[in-house]
Amino acid sequence: MSKLQSHYDVVVIGAGPAGYVSAIRCAQLGLKTACVDNWSNNKRQSSLGGTYLNAGCVPAIALLESAKIYHLLNHEMSRHGIHAENISVDIPQMMRRKDKIIETLSNKIVDIFNHHKITRIHAQAKLLNACEVEITPVDHSSSSIIKAKNIILAAGSSPICLPCAPIDNEFIIDSTTALSLDGAPKKLGIIGAGVIGLELACIWKKLGSEIVMLEAQENFLTLPDQQISREAYRIYTQQGLEMRLGARVISTKKGHKKVTVEYQDSEGLHCLRVDKLLVASGRKPNTENLIAAEANLMLDENGFVHVDENCRTTLPGVYAIGDLTSLGPMLAHKGIEEGVFVAEQIAGVHNPINYDLLPCVIYTEPEVAWVGQTEQALRAIGERIKIGTFPLSAAARSHAMGISEGMVKIIAHAETDAILGVHIIGAHASELIAEAALAMEFSASGEDLARTIHAHPTISEALHEAALSLEKRTLHLPVGILAS
């Protein structure tokens, strides 16, 4: 813990992507800054980076990369004329690699904090009023109060618990524990087939687990474009993910190293026995114990901090960013942008965020990514649109890489040709979506993207071809295939 002082220009509560970036930007702008964070790693040491770095995107992607290699060696290498025997997986070593990545990146944040002379406090923080924060060290030693002209709330979010499936992190586990298992469960049940559930399902399926997903909604993946969701459902089920939609969990019971799950669907009551049950039913903002009642800070009915379009709360000089607010989805890059935005606002600079162009990604294999509006949303408001699609199965690079499933879909205005939405499922979708977001940020038309020369053969030229197909003039597919 850095040396604690009593007065700061800015105190940031939380050191996830929103918090640590905001603290760094504040310090860069000459503001005396402190950052309070209570995350402790398995060594009971401070680990900056929040859920994103310690128990979210980064460890999930690290494990997915390891799982993909294992799956490739076991199931795909023979197609390349490469043969190997006695392939085995050391999951504890895989976890150690993941933990090393987390440690390295967390230490880099510490180095940046030190460089910018940011006071780092490993403690629980509570907002007392518009200018005071109570600090309680993680060792529960005596509390103290620090003051600041500005306070930025960036405490992040945590998994939602279900009364019907109480988490013990032995048999019924949360997403954090699911990223630290020392072996692949023979049969893994997952409550929730949303982003988190799918990402974890993909990892453990590739490591050998049988996966059964119970999703309460009748429709699969309602956030992306429905055409992309249908393609994702087809691909994931073909990979062996068993998804039971419209399945509402009623109760769970542990016994004999198994979990029995009772759930109901349109056909009645059913029972499912699994070795472990993962609860992946969404996340909630970490506002509990963050704000003293006497602070009179307004929250909504779901516990989100009420803010205006500038991330200002109902207390002067107090801001909330990242997962604590309902301004946009719970995404690391959304929090990062808000962290910079608020820091610069405090320093007198105003650069608003375009929430309409936040790219979204599901880190599965293949990946799903999108930016802008969906076809169903645009048709619901009567917008005149045209659609261009291109299957990755028609891209030469996809075949060479052996990952040809997926497609690119571009939605443009029927009259102005302005790009309104881009939706991708396929290899490297998380990288491809950046070009689409850039094009839309600069108000590009479908023709602009079609006229942009892309290297051949690449995966990215699928965007080019989808733009060409807006006018039914793609070069690599017969027109009849596009219409089918």
Side-chain angles (χ1 to χ4, degrees):
M1 183 183 294
S2 306
K3 184 179 179 181
L4 188 62
Q5 301 179 38
S6 58
H7 291 79
Y8 296 89
D9 293 321
V10 181
V11 168
V12 181
I13 300 177
Y20 78 72
V21 168
S22 190
I24 291 167
R25 188 66 185 126
C26 284
Q28 288 175 338
L29 293 166
L31 301 170
K32 183 181 177 183
T33 305
C35 184
V36 188
D37 185 75
N38 65 349
W39 193 286
S40 298
N41 60 20
N42 53 17
K43 300 176 184 176
R44 299 183 182 276
Q45 299 170 333
S46 170
S47 183
L48 303 183
T51 298
Y52 155 80
L53 179 53
N54 291 281
C57 292
V58 171
I61 292 171
L63 291 178
L64 179 58
E65 290 303 314
S66 298
K68 284 162 60 176
I69 292 170
Y70 176 65
H71 185 267
L72 181 69
L73 289 170
N74 274 290
H75 302 284
E76 304 291 338
M77 292 308 293
S78 60
R79 297 182 184 180
H80 294 264
I82 301 171
H83 301 278
E85 298 179 354
N86 301 319
I87 301 298
S88 63
V89 61
D90 184 344
I91 291 180
Q93 173 57 31
M94 191 180 293
M95 294 297 167
R96 287 191 290 272
R97 173 185 176 271
K98 177 259 297 181
D99 291 342
K100 183 63 178 176
I101 292 170
I102 293 171
E103 182 182 7
T104 298
L105 294 175
S106 181
N107 287 339
K108 287 184 181 296
I109 300 172
V110 172
D111 290 343
I112 298 171
F113 271 31
N114 292 338
H115 176 75
H116 289 292
K117 297 181 173 57
I118 298 169
T119 301
R120 178 168 51 92
I121 306 169
H122 188 205
Q124 176 69 43
K126 177 176 284 189
L127 179 73
L128 299 180
N129 52 54
C131 59
E132 291 185 322
V133 175
E134 181 185 57
I135 303 298
T136 304
V138 292
D139 61 6
H140 303 292
S141 55
S142 59
S143 300
S144 59
I145 293 176
I146 58 176
K147 297 184 178 183
K149 297 175 184 177
N150 300 277
I151 298 169
I152 302 174
L153 306 177
S157 61
S158 54
I160 291 175
C161 298
L162 298 177
C164 62
I167 292 169
D168 62 5
N169 280 326
E170 182 180 6
F171 296 107
I172 302 178
I173 64 176
D174 60 18
S175 56
T176 300
T177 300
L179 290 166
S180 299
L181 297 176
D182 57 8
K186 184 176 180 182
K187 189 170 186 177
L188 174 64
I190 301 178
I191 301 177
V195 175
I196 296 171
L198 284 170
E199 290 179 348
L200 292 167
C202 188
I203 292 168
W204 290 109
K205 176 61 181 176
K206 290 185 180 301
L207 292 174
S209 295
E210 179 186 350
I211 305 292
V212 180
M213 308 187 76
L214 303 175
E215 171 55 55
Q217 295 190 75
E218 296 286 348
N219 297 319
F220 176 68
L221 279 183
T222 56
L223 290 178
D225 185 90
Q226 288 181 2
Q227 186 177 2
I228 298 296
S229 295
R230 288 193 297 270
E231 181 69 1
Y233 183 85
R234 183 190 68 79
I235 293 172
Y236 296 150
T237 53
Q238 194 174 62
Q239 291 176 351
L241 298 185
E242 183 179 345
M243 289 184 275
R244 303 179 185 178
L245 303 180
R248 185 170 61 89
V249 175
I250 304 298
S251 66
T252 56
K253 183 178 180 180
K254 295 175 287 185
H256 305 294
K257 297 185 178 181
K258 298 277 186 180
V259 180
T260 300
V261 184
E262 184 182 36
Y263 69 94
Q264 185 175 27
D265 61 16
S266 59
E267 297 179 355
L269 286 174
H270 308 271
C271 282
L272 170 70
R273 294 188 75 212
V274 296
D275 296 282
K276 289 191 185 296
L277 178 66
L278 165 62
V279 179
S281 54
R283 300 182 67 82
K284 61 181 180 179
N286 286 332
T287 47
E288 189 176 357
N289 300 319
L290 174 66
I291 303 152
E294 57 270 24
N296 291 320
L297 186 77
M298 185 182 292
L299 306 179
D300 71 12
E301 64 276 11
N302 295 314
F304 289 98
V305 179
H306 178 79
V307 293
D308 63 14
E309 67 278 7
N310 293 312
C311 298
R312 295 191 184 104
T313 71
T314 51
L315 292 181
V318 178
Y319 302 81
I321 58 177
D323 290 0
L324 288 183
T325 84
S326 55
L327 280 179
M330 289 181 170
L331 297 170
H333 45 283
K334 176 254 194 183
I336 288 171
E337 291 302 317
E338 289 179 338
V340 172
F341 169 65
V342 167
E344 293 181 347
Q345 191 177 164
I346 290 171
V349 179
H350 188 73
N351 291 310
I353 298 170
N354 186 353
Y355 287 97
D356 293 333
L357 294 183
L358 278 171
C360 299
V361 179
I362 304 176
Y363 293 98
T364 47
E365 190 186 36
E367 295 175 340
V368 178
W370 67 95
V371 64
Q373 300 184 71
T374 64
E375 178 184 351
Q376 60 266 26
L378 290 166
R379 293 200 186 281
I381 61 174
E383 194 73 82
R384 294 189 61 200
I385 59 175
K386 56 184 177 180
I387 295 170
T389 61
F390 190 78
L392 292 180
S393 59
R397 182 68 182 273
S398 295
H399 283 278
M401 295 170 65
I403 43 177
S404 58
E405 290 184 308
M407 63 181 292
V408 174
K409 177 176 182 176
I410 298 177
I411 307 168
H413 194 279
E415 296 172 353
T416 67
D417 196 34
I419 300 173
L420 303 176
V422 177
H423 307 268
I424 306 171
I425 178 170
H428 308 302
S430 60
E431 306 293 341
L432 297 179
I433 203 64
E435 180 183 352
L438 180 65
M440 294 174 68
E441 184 65 42
F442 281 85
S443 303
S445 65
E447 183 180 0
D448 291 329
L449 194 51
R451 287 181 175 273
T452 302
I453 300 173
H454 289 65
H456 175 74
T458 59
I459 300 293
S460 66
E461 65 180 327
L463 275 167
H464 179 250
E465 292 290 341
L468 285 169
S469 77
L470 286 166
E471 304 299 336
K472 300 295 186 286
R473 60 189 186 96
T474 182
L475 304 177
H476 290 86
L477 272 180
V479 173
I481 295 179
L482 284 172
S484 63

